[in-house]
Amino acid sequence: MTAAAQAPATIDPGPTTPPAARRRRGTPVGLWLLVPSLLPVIAFSVYPLLNGIWLGFTDARAGAGVQFAFNGVQNYERLFDDGLFWNSFGIGLVWAFSVTILQFLLSLGLALLLNAGLRFQWLVRPLALVPWAMPSVVVAILWKLIYQPDAGILNAFLKNLGIIDTNINWLGSFTLALPAVIVVGVWAGMPQTTIALLAGLQNTSTDLHEAASLDGAGAWQRFRSVTLPALKPVIIAITSLDFVWNFNSFGLVYVLTEGGPGGRTKLPMLFAYESAFSSGEFGYAAAMGNAMVVLILAMLGVYLWRQLKENT
Amino acid sequence: MRTRPITRVGQYVALLAYIVFLGFPLLWLFSTAFKSPREVISLDPTLLPRTWSLDSFRVALDNTELFPSLLNSLIVAVSTAILTTVIALPAAYALARHRSKLRTVTVGWILVSQVFPFVLIVIPVFIVLRNLGLLNTLPGLVLVYVVWALPFTLWMLQGYVSAIPRDLEEAAATDGASRGQVLLRVIFPLLAPGLVATAMFAFISAWNEFFFALVVITDPAKETAPLLLARYVGGEGLVNLGPLAATALITTLPSLLIFAVAQRKLVSGMLAGSVKG
């Protein structure tokens, strides 16, 4: 990961350029070139971010226009006592952890397979990538078709195997809905994780492998003592990014279940979306967003710090 | 390295399992779309249609809302692709050629933009668009998408610029070419494939986007294709599975085609996306 990320930078012959040439294309020109990008980013990204932090401390509501007032930490006090929010936050954690871990394990397996020089692996590559090029709404629809209670293929399949007698309403079940959407999340997120891990694998040197092999190390030993340590930076980066992405996901589950049944799949983003755009509580929803970012960063910070300490 | 035969067999079994897991949902969508209306709701479903039928596509195409929504998506995605690329180009050039503090700031921003939850900015963005009178308009949506795609595009493009040797520029300058000529005659042609790949990337991300569209667009006449699909699922979609699958396939087609054309380039872009910073 780090190696791949640094690649463009190392190609850049910046420091070797003679001083005269550098002065000729001085910074002011470079600055002007950035303006077209900076303007929209400031207007639609930096400003909203800061404004969102401010809104979290106000009583802003959807219909009220600009007439809202600072109300201190009221939103946060309310959030602290809001059982529904914490419930949703908990669902978000279960979802993000499960999807991230399963996604990682399955992607690692696939990346190792794709790196093993098997025949027919060209078949898997496009299959593993197509979900990425699909709208999340379409991904949700195709899984909805599979999970259909009556004519769905999953129930038919399980029935034919004699595993179940009566059809299961997967997405409508209090206990099965969350696992069912987790499977979809894993399926949809595998492309990016697999690609990143595959790139990491291809960057690791084969010499060490050969040497370990000559020393009589078995496949598992080689994996544990050569591949895994070399992949470590990639693994840390991709799992933490996946975790945040998964925690923030919206479209997939929104279309699959709209947060149901009975709120069992109401991910935090769905909850915040409803607070803002169904109940119209802009200030409260903004506070929710702020709190979630802080909580997630705190969690990820601990994880990253531990990984860093372990590595040094 | 020697691989024991039994390991090889295990590897092929695993590969097959992946093919089924990854490919089956796609096959099922495809198969549902091509089944006859009666077969779609059959309680004993088959893997492939017994009789291939275009009925679902006929129903899907008969829907008067489909073409306007596809057109809206096309307008939004093409505008996003062009605007993002045009805006990002000078910045990417500056980032690749000048090492300044700004570069650090930008790279930091690119990284932050990755982990930044939309819920944090969607309400203020909504308010900004409302104040600008751009709520419920396609230009409003394009603005949001451009900003959303910019960090990524910028990073991809600066990689392409960095790959062009600086010597080429120097040589052209020594031969008496002006700065503008160097850019136009030397850099631009060499950058063309990168620009196309970047634009395709922005196109796909805008074509597929759902969340901001849901927030920004409320008028059915201005809906993008994902919004129309989501509305179907809520209502008639659950009754009309065949046409739903057909509509889903039609909607995926443009981004899938682009993906097929530029697969290699987009994969490296994807990689940059998951590792950038």
Side-chain angles (χ1 to χ4, degrees), chain A residues 87-308:
Chain A
N87 186 43
S88 162
F89 191 78
I91 292 171
L93 287 185
V94 172
W95 151 271
F97 271 116
S98 319
V99 175
T100 305
I101 291 169
L102 290 173
Q103 202 163 280
F104 166 68
L105 291 177
L106 283 177
S107 300
L108 181 63
L110 183 56
L112 286 170
L113 275 180
L114 290 178
N115 204 33
L118 299 179
R119 275 200 261 171
F120 304 115
Q121 64 179 26
W122 53 269
L123 251 172
V124 195
R125 264 171 177 275
L127 280 182
L129 289 170
V130 162
W132 176 83
M134 288 184 129
S136 58
V137 177
V138 172
V139 172
I141 286 173
L142 68 87
W143 280 93
K144 246 185 137 102
L145 293 173
I146 291 171
Y147 284 142
Q148 269 298 302
D150 305 322
I153 189 86
L154 183 59
N155 278 334
F157 180 70
L158 293 175
K159 259 185 176 167
N160 282 338
L161 284 182
I163 295 174
I164 58 169
D165 297 325
T166 44
N167 284 337
I168 295 173
N169 185 1
W170 298 95
L171 297 172
S173 150
F174 273 33
T175 45
L176 295 173
L178 188 56
V181 295
I182 285 172
V183 170
V184 185
V186 172
W187 187 85
M190 267 183 67
Q192 214 150 8
T193 314
T194 306
I195 295 282
L197 288 171
L198 191 59
L201 276 178
Q202 285 166 353
N203 277 345
T204 60
S205 97
T206 47
D207 294 0
L208 274 175
H209 258 275
E210 305 276 354
S213 190
L214 286 176
D215 284 347
W220 170 246
Q221 270 175 308
R222 285 201 304 269
F223 175 72
R224 270 207 54 186
S225 48
V226 180
T227 312
L228 218 50
L231 268 186
K232 202 163 180 179
V234 186
I235 293 173
I236 293 172
I238 195 69
T239 48
S240 29
L241 274 177
D242 273 342
F243 180 81
V244 179
W245 283 333
N246 288 324
F247 191 83
N248 292 341
S249 65
F250 177 86
L252 208 57
V253 177
Y254 180 83
V255 178
L256 274 168
T257 65
E258 286 191 52
R264 295 300 161 103
T265 60
K266 195 165 283 173
L267 299 183
M269 279 284 276
L270 275 75
F271 192 77
Y273 169 79
E274 276 181 12
S275 306
F277 297 100
S278 300
S279 320
E281 303 195 86
F282 279 4
Y284 188 49
M288 208 177 281
N290 296 340
M292 278 193 288
V293 172
V294 172
L295 288 168
I296 290 301
L297 281 183
M299 260 187 281
L300 218 65
V302 170
Y303 171 65
L304 288 175
W305 186 67
R306 280 215 185 123
Q307 292 291 345
L308 209 72

Side-chain angles (χ1 to χ4, degrees), chain A residues 1 12 25 106 119 245 290, chain B residues 12 18 96 98 114 120 275:
Chain A
M1 177 102 10
D12 188 335
R25 303 173 221 275
L106 283 177
R119 275 200 261 171
W245 283 333
N290 296 340
Chain B
Y12 278 108
Y18 275 109
H98 304 277
Q114 277 298 292
L120 202 62
V275 301

Side-chain angles (χ1 to χ4, degrees), chain A residues 40-62:
Chain A
V41 166
I42 288 169
F44 285 94
S45 199
V46 179
Y47 169 73
L49 178 67
L50 299 175
N51 195 28
I53 295 172
W54 156 246
L55 278 175
F57 294 94
T58 69
D59 61 359
R61 297 190 59 85

